[in-house]
Amino acid sequence: MGILEKIKEIELEMARTQKNKATEYHLGQLKARLAKLRTELQAPSSKGGGGESGFEVQKYGDGRVALIGFPSVGKSSLLTLLTGTESEAAAYEFTTLTCIPGVIHYNDSKIQLLDLPGIIEGAAEGKGRGRQVIAVCKSADLLLMVLDATKPLYHKQILTRELEAVGIRLNRQPPNIYFKKRKTGGISINSTIPLTHLDDKLIQRVLQEYKLHNCELLFKEDCTVDDLIDVIEGNRRYIKCLYVYNKVDMCSLEEVAEIAGWSNSIPISCSLKLNMDGLLERIWDMMALVRVYTKKVGAKPDFADPVVLTSDRGGTTLEALCRQIHNSMVQQFKYALVWGTSSKHYPQRCGLSHQLEDEDVVQIVKKKVNTGEDGRGRFKTTSDKPLRIADREKKPALKT
């Protein structure tokens, strides 16, 4: 029996099992077994031969946004409007057959936008080259799920289910669970708060499914069995997602107002170019990019070319700024003067752990480094002789 057949068999058993207190242990084991099989399904095949090439393109700019959705929902038209890159758009499905990159220039930053081929139901199992498309989504900082406002609303649930099946979690934070494997000592389970969805028996059942007999678990929040499985697997990707409803020009005003009221959703129209500025603002807000302007001593700040930081790529601290400028800047760092909303007064003297905010001005002061070949500079400022006279080497007496 293949992996796909095993997955379908487990899903069928979970569907026909009643959910109550007596069956929660059995369902927890089935969920763990299903997660293991899906991980095996996504693993690269060990067999040789020329497999299908992926859609991955080189990263460029300060962030990456991927367009995902069903065929013929307006992804290519949206790429052309936002970036100016020509992507073929037609009235038939599967017009785009490969990944087409573009660049959005917004607020002195460069955001890479990827137009991916449309996916269909069953993409997580490899239908319609769905694995290659979803693999590119894992490398994105933000997903734009483009939906047709005239189509049924369950299309959003279908796409979310396909992404969840390959380990992508949308608009969620990683569970606050400490997990560590050990060689000996058995299983140690602790929690800082009462657990309402888990107990020791269910946790041990899940750990037995993964053949973990020596490990340490510390729950710092009330989690479910799905959160526990995600932590044990360790290959989950938590990505922000913005649901973009296209073709709202074919809907009534009441329907557009309802879509605009949903969380993480925005209505647009590519044909009439409606709400494009609002879409760019939502992309900027969700990516949470931080622009930092550098300043030389005695000079004005350089507002033309900012250094763009993000929490997903190294963080927004002064240390991340130094590493983005040059790797050796951290060792040479002495202190920094910060002007902006993150400082309590102007200027504030800060260390490497200071959190920067958007449009801050930073002046970095480095340590004084001697540049001479002997490490003392051009002119020696200290003597080579020992400080104490008793430690100095005595010269032999002169011969007479």
Side-chain angles (χ1 to χ4, degrees):
M1 185 183 292
I3 296 179
L4 291 176
E5 289 78 10
K6 291 180 181 178
I7 290 176
K8 290 180 180 178
E9 183 180 351
I10 294 176
E11 288 177 344
L12 182 61
E13 185 176 354
M14 291 176 61
R16 64 172 178 243
T17 302
Q18 293 183 354
K19 292 181 177 144
N20 51 49
K21 195 71 176 176
T23 60
E24 64 177 1
Y25 305 113
H26 180 60
L27 286 173
Q29 272 189 312
L30 291 178
K31 287 180 179 179
R33 202 173 302 164
L34 185 62
K36 284 177 62 179
L37 290 174
R38 282 176 173 165
T39 302
E40 292 178 15
L41 187 64
Q42 297 301 317
S45 177
S46 59
K47 297 180 181 178
E52 290 183 327
S53 60
F55 299 129
E56 183 63 30
V57 296
Q58 184 178 2
K59 280 192 175 184
Y60 176 80
D62 306 311
R64 169 177 282 194
V65 179
L67 296 171
I68 190 170
F70 284 106
S72 297
V73 293
K75 298 187 296 296
S76 300
S77 302
L78 184 59
L79 176 79
T80 303
L81 287 175
L82 294 180
T83 66
T85 304
E86 291 296 330
S87 180
E88 185 180 358
Y92 53 89
E93 294 184 348
F94 295 104
T95 310
T96 304
L97 299 176
T98 185
C99 178
I100 300 176
V103 180
I104 301 174
H105 296 272
Y106 188 73
N107 285 347
D108 296 329
S109 64
K110 300 174 183 177
I111 303 172
Q112 188 180 40
L113 185 64
L114 301 181
D115 179 18
L116 298 173
I119 65 174
I120 58 177
E121 191 172 2
E125 301 171 358
K127 292 182 181 179
R129 300 192 71 182
R131 290 185 196 172
Q132 288 88 341
V133 174
I134 295 175
V136 179
C137 294
K138 285 188 174 183
S139 66
D141 302 314
L142 174 68
L143 288 182
L144 291 187
M145 188 180 290
V146 185
L147 301 165
D148 193 338
T150 61
K151 296 290 179 66
L153 296 178
Y154 63 81
H155 282 190
K156 173 183 172 183
Q157 281 76 23
I158 294 175
L159 289 172
T160 304
R161 188 169 61 248
E162 295 297 329
L163 295 174
E164 291 264 351
V166 295
I168 296 178
R169 303 291 181 258
L170 301 179
N171 297 325
R172 286 166 53 185
Q173 293 294 328
N176 196 0
I177 302 175
Y178 173 77
F179 171 69
K180 182 179 180 181
K181 296 180 182 178
R182 299 189 298 193
K183 294 182 179 180
T184 58
I187 297 174
S188 173
I189 302 172
N190 296 294
S191 63
T192 57
I193 59 171
L195 299 177
T196 59
H197 305 286
L198 293 170
D199 57 8
D200 290 353
K201 184 178 178 181
L202 179 55
I203 294 171
Q204 288 177 357
R205 286 278 189 95
V206 174
L207 294 176
Q208 287 174 4
E209 192 64 38
Y210 283 94
K211 298 179 181 180
L212 292 171
H213 307 292
N214 299 284
C215 66
E216 184 180 356
L217 275 171
L218 176 60
F219 294 88
K220 301 179 182 179
E221 63 181 6
D222 192 10
C223 301
T224 61
V225 66
D226 296 318
D227 296 331
L228 175 61
I229 292 171
D230 289 346
V231 171
I232 295 174
E233 285 285 346
N235 58 356
R236 302 302 189 235
R237 182 83 167 88
Y238 296 85
I239 307 177
K240 299 175 184 176
C241 181
L242 178 62
Y243 304 101
V244 181
Y245 288 87
N246 191 19
K247 305 179 184 179
V248 294
D249 53 310
M250 302 172 66
C251 302
S252 63
L253 290 176
E254 291 79 9
E255 292 174 335
V256 175
E258 183 182 1
I259 292 173
W262 296 339
S263 62
N264 298 319
S265 302
I266 182 169
I268 66 165
S269 174
C270 292
S271 61
L272 299 181
K273 300 181 181 179
L274 297 177
N275 206 16
M276 290 294 135
D277 294 335
L279 176 60
L280 287 174
E281 290 180 7
R282 291 293 296 274
I283 291 174
W284 178 264
D285 293 339
M286 293 193 72
M287 293 192 72
L289 298 179
V290 175
R291 293 166 295 173
V292 179
Y293 301 99
T294 56
K295 176 184 179 300
K296 292 182 179 180
V297 179
K300 293 183 179 180
D302 182 14
F303 292 111
D305 189 16
V307 179
V308 181
L309 306 175
T310 176
S311 57
D312 295 333
R313 296 190 181 186
T316 58
T317 60
L318 271 171
E319 183 178 358
L321 173 66
C322 294
R323 293 192 184 279
Q324 190 153 343
I325 295 173
H326 199 274
N327 288 330
S328 64
M329 186 70 73
V330 177
Q331 286 77 24
Q332 301 174 7
F333 181 88
K334 187 176 182 182
Y335 65 90
L337 299 177
V338 180
W339 293 262
T341 56
S342 67
S343 59
K344 297 180 181 178
H345 48 81
Y346 299 152
Q348 181 180 351
R349 182 168 171 165
C350 304
L352 288 173
S353 61
H354 179 74
Q355 289 286 343
L356 297 171
E357 296 182 4
D358 193 25
E359 294 187 319
D360 278 356
V361 176
V362 176
Q363 175 183 316
I364 297 176
V365 179
K366 299 195 299 182
K367 299 175 183 176
K368 291 184 179 180
V369 180
N370 296 319
T371 58
E373 296 179 357
D374 56 351
R376 293 179 176 273
R378 186 175 176 183
F379 301 103
K380 292 184 179 181
T381 56
T382 58
S383 175
D384 293 335
K385 297 179 180 180
L387 294 177
R388 295 194 308 170
I389 298 178
D391 295 336
R392 296 179 183 178
E393 182 181 358
K394 295 183 179 180
K395 295 181 180 180
L398 294 175
K399 295 181 180 180
T400 58

